[in-house]
Each structure stands twice: as C-alpha cells, then as structure tokens.
Amino acid sequence: MELAERLAENICLIQKQRPLVHQITNQVTMQDCANITLAIGASPVMANAPEEAAEITVHAKALVLNLGTLQPRSAEAMLMAGKVAKAQGVPIVLDPVGVGATRLRQQTAARLLLECPPDIIRGNLAEIAALAGQTIASPGVDALKEAAQAAETAYFLAKKLHCVVAVSGETDWIASPDQQTACLHNGVSMLRFVTGTGCMSSSLIGCAAAVSPAWEAAITGLACMGIAGELAASNLTSSQGTGSFRTGLFDAVSTLTGATLRQHLRLQLSSASGGA
C-alpha cells in the first residue's frame, strides 16, 4: 500500500477505533485540542494532575505532552505519565512550546527527552532548533534558506534522538531517524492567525499515533490540519475572517475523509542523502 493510501486509512482507523488520547496540554488551547480530537474521531482526556496522570495513561492509546502553559505540577504530571507510557508501549508526542525561552521549559524538556523519550516531536523551527542546540537564521531570511534549515534541523534531531521530528511552518518538514524525509505543502497563511493551530496539530498527530507508526502519524496529523485549513479558507466569503475560519477548520476536520486527504495531499518524499 502506498503512503498516501496508508495516511487515508489512518483517518478511517481513528474513526473506527475512537482511541483514547491523553493530553497534558496548553491551558490556553485545551478546549480546542479536545474538540479537534473529537472532530477527527478520537476520544480526548485532559488529566494534568500528578495524582491521576499516570493512572489515566494506562488506559490511553497515545499521550500528547505540550509545554505551552507549563507549571511545576504539570511538569511533574508529564514525567509521571511519560514513564507509564514508555512502560506500556503508549506512543508519546512532545510539543516543546517555547522551549528555548525559560529555564523551566528547558529543564522539563531535557528530563522528558531523557526519562521518557518521545516517539514524535512537533514544533516550529525555533523550538526544534532550540532542542537541537542550534539558532535559527535572523528574521527576514529568504524562504529557501529557512526551508533548508528546517529540513536539516529536523533530520539532525531525528537522528540524534531516534524519533520522528516534525517542523511545522509554511511548509512542514518531517524526518525519521532512518533517513526518511517528507515535505508537506498543504496549509494556508490564515492558520498563523488562529491561536492553537500548532497545539491542535500535535493533538491530531497523537490521534494518528494511536493507530499507526510514528512516521505515518506525524504526516497524517499535519496533513489533516493543512488540508482542513485549505478547505476552511476556500469556503470563506469576502466579509468573513479568522472567526469564521476557525469554525470552518473544525467543520473541515470533522468531515474529513480518506478520499479527501488523498485528493488534496501535496507531499514529497526523499532520503536524507537526497534520493527520491
């Protein structure tokens, strides 16, 4: 089965199996993350208390850890849930929001990477570069240089941490530790003007990780968000803006089918050495 067919099948599997996806996530976007999980067909649970995070994870099919509104107690809950996930074979998705900004975020990310290594990491270029110990090019750099750095950084970190790494942006780059790279061209600029689309992308990846391998899951989740953005934007009238777009985004995800994904998917694959 070709990759596009497997990505389409993942949507069907999510809707059929309705996997429980545990998310210790950004309080600003928690409701949106729960709703996008429901929209794609999975079941969300958002248990961020250390007293129950591990217990909940035992029953989950995937775990999403988001550093967006990190606090010491939520950091403790993430570590406890992450350790259970590793012991139970539950895939972990890490969204290292703002990881280079504060000591708490850096220390928490470092402990998560060491004590409960994620299967998938998704972030923007600045966040992925921070995890890789790199700095991004100065603002205003041309798109070609930014794309090249995103691809190189994704592969570098994937190889270093032995996990799938996804760098989301105008173009999404996904890399695996075994030299697979993917370039996803779906999406619209309006996604940048709605709070939480990155967090929701990580949630969608978590839903896909519950039913498929990490490499396919990362591409599936980002493709769903990008294609849903395109569909939502295409339905806007001249008098509608980001509020209507946000509603349209949920509508598009909730009605997304495997056939729709195959129809709109714009994906390029290559190896790290440059082969097709």
Side-chain angles (χ1 to χ4, degrees):
M1 187 184 297
E2 294 185 356
L3 179 58
E5 293 293 329
R6 296 200 301 271
L7 302 183
E9 178 64 17
N10 288 341
I11 296 176
C12 298
L13 289 174
I14 293 169
Q15 295 168 348
K16 180 179 180 179
Q17 298 179 16
R18 300 194 65 82
L20 184 69
V21 182
H22 184 196
Q23 303 173 54
I24 303 177
T25 189
N26 190 332
Q27 293 182 19
V28 174
T29 62
M30 184 183 296
Q31 184 175 7
D32 285 342
C33 290
N35 281 331
I36 209 74
T37 301
L38 289 168
I40 198 66
S43 299
V45 60
M46 322 314 246
N48 59 6
E51 292 82 1
E52 65 174 359
E55 185 177 356
I56 292 290
T57 304
V58 172
H59 304 287
K61 297 300 182 183
L63 173 66
V64 180
L65 304 177
N66 182 307
L67 305 188
T69 50
L70 189 64
Q71 299 178 13
R73 275 180 58 81
S74 61
E76 181 184 356
M78 288 181 189
L79 287 161
M80 295 176 69
K83 291 176 182 179
V84 169
K86 296 307 292 186
Q88 297 286 331
V90 175
I92 300 173
V93 179
L94 174 63
D95 189 335
V97 179
V99 68
T102 68
R103 184 176 301 174
L104 176 62
R105 293 173 190 273
Q106 292 172 332
Q107 291 176 342
T108 301
R111 287 195 64 188
L112 289 170
L113 294 176
L114 179 65
E115 299 179 30
C116 42
D119 300 273
I120 305 168
I121 301 174
R122 187 222 62 87
N124 61 36
L125 177 55
E127 292 159 351
I128 300 302
L131 287 180
Q134 303 174 358
T135 56
I136 62 171
S138 59
V141 68
D142 67 79
L144 288 176
K145 289 184 179 178
E146 183 174 307
Q149 183 175 10
E152 292 170 4
T153 303
Y155 175 67
F156 172 82
L157 193 62
K159 188 175 181 180
K160 178 182 178 181
L161 299 180
H162 306 288
C163 68
V164 172
V165 174
V167 183
S168 55
E170 183 175 347
T171 298
D172 298 324
W173 293 88
I174 305 98
S176 73
D178 59 357
Q179 298 190 336
Q180 294 181 103
T181 59
C183 178
L184 188 61
H185 295 283
N186 292 107
V188 291
S189 60
M190 286 191 76
L191 287 166
R192 295 186 288 114
F193 299 101
V194 175
T195 298
T197 54
C199 299
M200 287 187 277
S201 294
S202 295
S203 296
L204 290 171
I205 291 172
C207 296
V211 301
S212 66
W215 168 248
E216 293 179 16
I219 301 174
T220 302
L222 289 176
C224 287
M225 178 57 70
I227 291 170
E230 293 173 358
L231 296 173
S234 69
N235 289 327
L236 293 178
T237 67
S238 59
S239 63
Q240 294 176 315
T242 55
S244 298
F245 174 75
R246 177 182 177 277
T247 299
L249 192 64
F250 285 101
D251 288 342
V253 172
S254 67
T255 57
L256 190 65
T257 65
T260 303
L261 184 143
R262 287 195 303 271
Q263 178 184 352
H264 293 275
L265 183 68
R266 288 179 286 146
L267 180 69
Q268 290 178 307
L269 298 175
S270 65
S271 67
S273 60

